[in-house]
Amino acid sequence: MECMLSEVLLGAPAWPRTRRAMNLSHFDLNLLRSLDVLLNERNVTRAAARLCVTQQAASGALQRLRQHFGDELLTRVGRHFDLTPLSKSLIVPVREALLTAQAALNTRPVFDPKDSVVTCRMAMSDYGLLVLLPRFLRLLGAMAPGIRCVVEPLTGRSFERLDMGDLDFCLSTHDVRLYGTHRPGKRVRSKAMFQDDFVCVVDPTQVDVSNGLSITRYRLLRHNSVQFGEGIATIVERAWANSKFEYDVAVTASTFSALVFMLPGTSLIATTQRHLANTLAPRLGLAIVECPLKLPRLQENLMWHERSEHDPTHEFLRETLEAAVLELAA
């Protein structure tokens, strides 16, 4: 398979750099889907698998696209294949064209949640998954049982996936500085959903907090912390850094819930969201105490792309998420 790709790429002619504008009626629109997958996979074999066609058909599509654009599109760099400057510039407009066409094809004269069979793709932290998602799913089950949800962790790539149409929603903190260099695109819409503050959680058999918790003792205790990767910080981490005091972080984890689940039988202290603490601590026999360190309030925002702004299904999902937030507040 790869040999065939090598022959296509290494044997490609020097494509003409100038070409006449082509009328849309002379272009096979099926090639747009092939182009989107080829640009994403950068590999004809994998692209063929995603398109459910033979590798020969995918290679033929690549040849036709090269002829149309007068550009190689994929070039060999060592053992791998890279995009040309032109093909890099095509990634977003090609995906936008496909998503716009898909939205038009999905348009129906009447939207009925009970008859809707769609997939809602969301990215959120495990905090949102434990605190908000169960309420959202209960409402969906009652109003739109045919809607399926796919939830993935919130990462640095989530905003990019939202831009490219791979996600319908991101639920994340409003302070984008916490995501380092990762930023939502200019066409991403955002709405405030709910707020939360921070508390401390301990095992009361190991750490006595019956009389509260002073800032001095808070600093002397061993802490656990969440780390989501390079360039991404939590509100607690930023507050620790701004306090100019070096905290003893005994354990780091990749999820907020892990901070609470690891506490039983230890003398560790977790600084976490109140809603999450109220959800998990009682069933684990843990104590919740007010945090003596001044921390900014957390605000969770719902983000979506403007292309979905007026889609009836998307509007229904946003309204249902807002109804779930009202349940949380109550």
Side-chain angles (χ1 to χ4, degrees):
M1 296 282 188
E2 291 292 348
C3 292
M4 292 179 65
L5 176 59
S6 301
E7 292 171 3
V8 170
L9 294 177
L10 294 177
W15 304 104
R17 297 302 175 187
T18 59
R19 55 187 174 82
R20 292 178 300 173
M22 179 175 284
N23 189 293
L24 186 61
S25 62
H26 297 153
F27 183 80
D28 182 358
L29 292 178
N30 290 319
L31 287 175
L32 277 184
R33 170 63 176 156
S34 298
L35 179 58
D36 178 61
V37 175
L38 284 164
L39 296 180
N40 183 261
E41 295 291 345
R42 306 185 187 190
N43 180 290
V44 172
T45 303
R46 292 197 299 269
R50 278 186 56 186
L51 292 166
C52 299
V53 300
T54 65
Q55 199 220 343
Q56 184 177 8
S59 296
L62 177 59
Q63 286 287 79
R64 293 169 66 189
L65 287 163
R66 283 171 161 171
Q67 291 170 1
H68 171 74
F69 287 104
D71 188 86
E72 292 188 13
L73 300 178
L74 293 175
T75 59
R76 177 178 283 280
V77 180
R79 295 185 177 182
H80 305 283
F81 301 98
D82 204 354
L83 303 180
T84 65
L86 174 66
S87 57
K88 289 179 181 178
S89 72
L90 290 171
I91 292 175
V92 173
V94 167
R95 178 62 64 88
E96 283 292 332
L98 288 171
L99 291 171
T100 301
Q102 188 65 57
L105 292 172
N106 289 339
T107 301
R108 296 292 182 269
V110 178
F111 171 71
D112 186 348
K114 291 184 178 180
D115 295 331
S116 181
V117 181
V118 297
T119 297
C120 174
R121 301 156 300 174
M122 313 170 70
M124 62 180 66
S125 68
D126 65 311
Y127 163 68
L129 188 147
L130 288 167
V131 169
L132 184 63
L133 188 65
R135 293 170 169 83
F136 174 63
L137 295 179
R138 282 197 295 272
L139 293 172
L140 272 188
M143 296 185 292
I147 293 183
R148 176 173 175 262
C149 290
V150 176
V151 183
E152 62 182 57
L154 189 70
T155 69
R157 290 198 63 236
S158 294
F159 298 138
E160 175 188 345
R161 287 174 56 74
L162 190 63
D163 268 334
M164 296 301 291
D166 296 320
L167 288 171
D168 297 305
F169 298 105
C170 286
L171 183 69
S172 69
T173 176
H174 75 291
D175 189 351
V176 294
R177 294 177 304 168
L178 302 178
Y179 296 104
T181 58
H182 309 289
R183 291 288 189 276
K186 294 181 180 179
R187 297 178 62 192
V188 168
R189 299 291 174 259
S190 178
K191 183 172 184 177
M193 297 296 280
F194 64 94
Q195 292 190 350
D196 205 351
D197 61 352
F198 290 85
V199 294
C200 295
V201 184
V202 297
D203 183 339
T205 67
Q206 305 295 319
V207 181
D208 183 11
V209 290
S210 56
N211 294 320
L213 185 65
S214 68
I215 186 64
T216 300
R217 192 165 180 227
Y218 175 79
R219 288 172 172 171
L220 293 176
L221 287 169
R222 305 199 77 195
H223 296 255
N224 57 24
S225 179
V226 176
Q227 287 192 345
F228 291 120
E230 186 177 354
I232 302 178
T234 66
I235 289 177
V236 174
E237 285 179 311
R238 289 178 67 92
W240 285 348
N242 292 336
S243 72
K244 309 301 182 183
F245 185 89
E246 187 172 343
Y247 288 84
D248 181 5
V249 179
V251 186
T252 57
S254 59
T255 63
F256 290 112
S257 57
L259 302 186
V260 181
F261 280 119
M262 72 173 67
L263 292 177
T266 76
S267 58
L268 296 172
I269 182 170
T271 307
T272 191
Q273 303 94 329
R274 187 183 297 273
H275 283 310
L276 183 64
N278 289 340
T279 300
L280 298 180
R283 63 189 73 180
L284 295 173
L286 301 175
I288 302 173
V289 64
E290 296 301 317
C291 181
L293 179 67
K294 186 176 181 180
L295 292 163
R297 289 182 65 84
L298 166 68
Q299 178 177 302
E300 288 287 293
N301 281 8
L302 186 68
M303 299 183 183
W304 65 92
H305 198 277
E306 68 175 16
R307 75 172 73 89
S308 306
E309 183 78 17
H310 302 296
D311 176 75
T313 303
H314 210 273
E315 289 180 335
F316 166 76
L317 291 170
R318 295 199 301 268
E319 291 169 0
T320 307
L321 281 164
E322 290 176 24
V325 168
L326 292 177
E327 280 195 6
L328 176 64

